Amino acid sequence: MTLFLFIARFLLLCAAVNALQPLPVFAEENPVSAAVLAAQQQRVAAIRQASMAAVSIFAGGQGGGSGVLVSSDGFALTNFHVVQPAGVSMKCGLNDGNVYDAVLVGLDPTGDVSLIKLLGRNDFPFAMLADSDTVRVGDFCFAAGNPFLLATNFQPSISAGIVSGVHRYQYPAGTLLEYADCLQVDAAINPGNSGGALFDAEGGLIGVNGRASFEKRGRINVGVGYAISSNQLRNFVGMLRGGRLCDHATLGATVATSEDGRVVVADILESSDAYRRGLRYDDEIVSIAGRPVRTVNAMKNILGTLPSGWRVPLVLRREGRPIEMLVRLAGVHSPAELALLVEGGGAPADPRQKKQKPLDKDAPQKNPHDDTPESGKKTAQVPDIVKPFYEPRNGFTNYYFNRLERNRVAALIASRGDYAVCKGSWIFSGTLVGGGDFRIELAENFASIDLPTGTTRIDTTGDLDGNPSPPGSGGLLASLVLWRRLLQSGPQSLGRTDYWGTAPLLGVEELCDVLHSTVAAVELQVASSPADGTVRGLELWPSSQDDPCEVRFLDHTSLNQIEMPHRFEVRHGNELFAIFQIRSIEFTEIPSNDEASDRVSFLEPGLEYFTADRSL
């Protein structure tokens, strides 16, 4: 009994001592709990911020879906299949509780993407496109949208999950709605979420939701959803902002897996640019657009994220030797086919799977660089509030926005100097890399070039088509004549000029703005910096059957506050024609301060600017 009492008293004493100890404050002292709380707060803040850019799209009695704002002036991305029933205009709600009218801007039916513009403000909240190539399996993600059109108060529904897969490929319906290189997520993507945003943990826009797998007897998500990657969207957004009807790329060749596991060319169209650059049957494809090609599926994924008309690097291997080339990607459809499909005219067989038909030499051939299809979008009933922002034209979704982009680019180019005052001859002199001198004169009525191989002169008062002078250049003089006209008088001086979109240019990190001009039978593309309007390059087709003359301005200098090239490179086909190092530039007629006409020169050695009478 004594031992029992001793033990009981000891336990009571221990309990009393413990009662005097302060209770642990887990939320403050436990680092795991603090980290969890901080992560939760960061997640809530990211979702709150991202939700402000979420758009609920209502297409009247035609249903609706979701979208995401990507600029402060109201441009929003969504799916093609969301806006197709709505036509040109729709109503959109934001989580500020307001309803905004919106107008259709651009369409990419092959990739199931469209761009709309909300009207009424210039200070919309928006999401920034993130780099989807950095996304990894297991990353946290969340979707913001309008599933089942539940957002009657315009507050988006949020569903969270992880990235289940990257670089997935979902086959198109016919030739439309192809999901290439897309993200697979287990966040709930239900009907109505289509077109809405997929965000990463920081609230960066990594994709636009579009597809999901559902139970056979219902419309409930089973944890497999697909989002169009932000990097694919970035490739197309320039064209979409220009009101274009966009198409996706094809190489003009089919590939297969060889017995030893290589991806090799199984068939190729002789009319394709890839064939003209030298790609042949049984060549191994190593990479395209800077991305490795290890499987046939990888090839589909890469091409499916690129717009038709882009020029991208292609690396092949032939007999163990690597060969590099730049290839221009063709379109999956012709412009007329694409316009017909948008109008619901039926889906043709996939042109990537069919062989080339022999050409009828007597039939008129369509210019491959002409974006104008034979049939366009049907006239739609447009509400009065949207009418000022909509202009139908064959080959375009909404030409109003193409004119805006064309004028924006033209104004940027014009800001590089007052070229209009330089009305006389423009004379460029210097040396050729590799040896020899040159002299180029661009005047109102003629253009000439002196090279070690001889002198060439063309009359610029007539048509410039079919004039590839000087020989071997593919049309250098005609290119520079049109470049001078653009700088002096703007795009209206060239004939029909449209905004083509954005495209990569070799040696330039950013995507360039591209203007496309049709001058009689001549096609001209001008690439410029979207930041400041500096002209980076020219491409001119004297005829549709020829390779273009490619002029790439490598660097620039300023002559009396007028930007001029300092060095430029000319290529034709697979050949380098010449690299020109400019030593002096002369304007034979330019008003001076007293309105007189003087000769103004730039001499490279001292970087001096002067007229006949005084220093500038």
Side-chain angles (χ1 to χ4, degrees):
M1 179 64 70
T2 304
L3 179 61
F4 175 78
L5 290 174
F6 174 79
I7 294 174
R9 289 173 180 173
F10 177 76
L11 292 175
L12 288 172
L13 178 62
C14 290
V17 171
N18 287 335
L20 296 176
Q21 300 297 320
L23 293 174
V25 183
F26 293 102
E28 295 180 359
E29 297 183 0
N30 190 320
V32 175
S33 298
V36 170
L37 287 175
Q40 181 181 7
Q41 292 171 354
Q42 188 274 334
R43 182 168 60 249
V44 170
I47 291 174
R48 182 187 303 113
Q49 181 67 29
S51 297
M52 297 175 65
V55 181
S56 297
I57 299 175
F58 300 95
Q62 304 299 319
S66 306
V68 56
L69 286 158
V70 291
S71 71
S72 62
D73 52 353
F75 286 99
L77 288 164
T78 183
N79 287 142
F80 164 67
H81 76 261
V82 169
V83 302
Q84 187 183 28
V88 172
S89 64
M90 59 219 73
K91 298 286 187 180
C92 295
L94 299 183
N95 75 348
D96 62 4
N98 293 318
V99 178
Y100 299 88
D101 287 284
V103 61
L104 181 63
V105 178
L107 288 176
D108 169 20
T110 307
D112 196 20
V113 178
S114 66
L115 186 71
I116 63 176
K117 187 179 189 303
L118 278 63
L119 308 176
R121 289 173 59 182
N122 287 312
D123 60 347
F124 286 99
F126 66 96
M128 296 291 294
L129 288 173
D131 182 0
S132 55
D133 283 345
T134 64
V135 175
R136 297 292 180 263
V137 173
D139 284 351
F140 173 81
C141 63
F142 64 94
N146 187 15
F148 305 110
L149 304 186
L150 294 174
T152 55
N153 61 352
F154 314 138
Q155 303 302 308
S157 297
I158 304 297
S159 58
I162 63 168
V163 176
S164 307
V166 295
H167 306 303
R168 297 297 199 214
Y169 182 83
Q170 292 290 295
Y171 284 91
T175 57
L176 301 184
L177 311 184
E178 177 185 47
Y179 279 57
D181 210 42
C182 58
L183 304 174
Q184 178 189 334
V185 299
D186 73 348
I189 307 296
N190 289 299
N193 273 115
S194 292
L198 182 70
F199 295 101
D200 62 18
E202 286 73 39
L205 181 60
I206 57 174
V208 165
N209 302 310
R211 277 190 177 184
S213 297
F214 301 100
E215 292 181 352
K216 292 182 179 179
R217 295 186 179 182
R219 295 286 286 164
I220 306 301
N221 180 275
V222 295
V224 181
Y226 300 97
I228 302 160
S229 70
S230 57
N231 285 359
Q232 175 180 327
L233 297 168
R234 185 179 287 108
N235 291 341
F236 284 86
V237 74
M239 294 180 176
L240 293 170
R241 284 186 67 118
R244 292 280 308 278
L245 181 58
C246 307
D247 199 7
H248 283 233
T250 176
L251 186 61
T254 58
V255 296
T257 304
S258 65
E259 293 182 356
D260 56 358
R262 297 176 300 122
V263 178
V264 298
V265 175
D267 199 3
I268 185 169
L269 297 177
E270 293 186 8
S271 62
S272 67
D273 190 67
Y275 184 87
R276 296 171 77 160
R277 301 285 75 79
L279 185 66
R280 293 295 183 266
Y281 174 80
D282 209 34
D283 283 342
E284 178 187 357
I285 305 297
V286 177
S287 69
I288 186 167
R291 294 180 55 181
V293 177
R294 298 188 177 94
T295 65
V296 172
N297 189 65
M299 183 81 164
K300 290 181 179 179
N301 265 338
I302 297 169
L303 289 174
T305 65
L306 302 175
S308 65
W310 271 24
R311 297 185 71 206
V312 298
L314 172 69
V315 179
L316 61 92
R317 185 178 289 114
R318 182 183 299 159
E319 297 178 351
R321 181 171 60 92
I323 301 174
E324 299 182 13
M325 59 182 66
L326 276 178
V327 296
R328 191 181 309 276
L329 302 174
V332 174
H333 313 87
S334 71
E337 283 178 334
L338 194 58
L340 183 63
L341 288 171
V342 171
E343 290 300 313
D350 190 339
R352 293 167 291 189
Q353 305 299 326
K354 64 183 180 183
K355 294 183 180 293
Q356 182 184 17
K357 295 181 180 179
L359 294 176
D360 181 356
K361 295 182 179 179
D362 296 326
Q365 299 300 317
K366 184 173 179 62
N367 191 324
H369 309 290
D370 188 357
D371 286 335
T372 305
E374 297 170 4
S375 62
K377 190 174 179 64
K378 297 176 182 177
T379 303
Q381 294 296 322
V382 183
D384 289 342
I385 193 171
V386 171
K387 281 182 179 179
F389 305 95
Y390 178 66
E391 183 179 339
R393 179 172 291 193
N394 283 352
F396 294 86
T397 303
N398 187 344
Y399 196 73
Y400 170 83
F401 288 95
N402 194 276
R403 286 194 296 105
L404 287 184
E405 289 298 288
R406 180 196 64 197
N407 294 342
R408 175 187 63 82
V409 174
L412 277 174
I413 293 174
S415 71
R416 307 311 298 169
D418 190 2
Y419 300 98
V421 303
C422 306
K423 297 184 181 299
S425 292
W426 295 12
I427 302 172
F428 303 87
S429 302
T431 59
L432 300 172
V433 174
D437 297 331
F438 74 89
R439 181 181 184 276
I440 298 172
E441 182 170 359
L442 307 176
E444 294 293 335
N445 301 322
F446 73 91
S448 65
I449 182 169
D450 297 328
L451 294 170
T453 55
T455 298
T456 303
R457 180 186 175 103
I458 65 172
D459 180 3
T460 61
T461 59
D463 293 339
L464 297 173
D465 58 306
N467 197 328
S469 301
S473 71
L476 171 59
L477 281 179
S479 300
L480 295 179
V481 165
L482 295 178
W483 165 71
R484 179 178 181 268
R485 288 181 188 173
L486 172 67
L487 296 183
Q488 282 192 318
S489 306
Q492 65 274 10
S493 66
L494 301 180
R496 172 177 167 173
T497 300
D498 304 316
Y499 178 70
W500 191 86
T502 54
L505 186 66
L506 184 65
V508 179
E509 291 186 5
E510 61 186 351
L511 293 178
C512 292
D513 283 320
V514 179
L515 295 179
H516 183 100
S517 296
T518 304
V519 189
V522 173
E523 302 287 326
L524 175 72
Q525 286 193 347
V526 180
S528 63
S529 167
D532 60 17
T534 297
V535 176
R536 300 292 188 185
L538 312 169
E539 284 188 290
L540 178 133
W541 289 262
S543 73
S544 61
Q545 305 302 317
D546 296 328
D547 286 326
C549 171
E550 304 168 29
V551 180
R552 189 158 62 96
F553 299 113
L554 303 177
D555 53 54
H556 293 75
T557 189
S558 180
L559 170 58
N560 196 25
Q561 298 183 341
I562 296 176
E563 185 175 78
M564 279 286 150
H566 188 213
R567 188 165 56 102
F568 65 95
E569 173 186 274
V570 179
R571 290 183 175 272
H572 181 230
N574 293 335
E575 302 300 325
L576 172 66
F577 176 72
I579 298 177
F580 295 78
Q581 183 72 43
I582 298 173
R583 301 299 183 189
S584 70
I585 302 172
E586 299 178 3
F587 299 139
T588 59
E589 294 181 25
I590 182 170
S592 62
N593 292 337
D594 58 3
E595 301 300 325
S597 293
D598 288 314
R599 177 180 295 266
V600 181
S601 299
F602 155 67
L603 299 178
E604 189 205 23
L607 296 180
E608 298 176 358
Y609 308 131
F610 63 91
T611 65
D613 300 323
R614 62 192 175 281
S615 172
L616 293 177

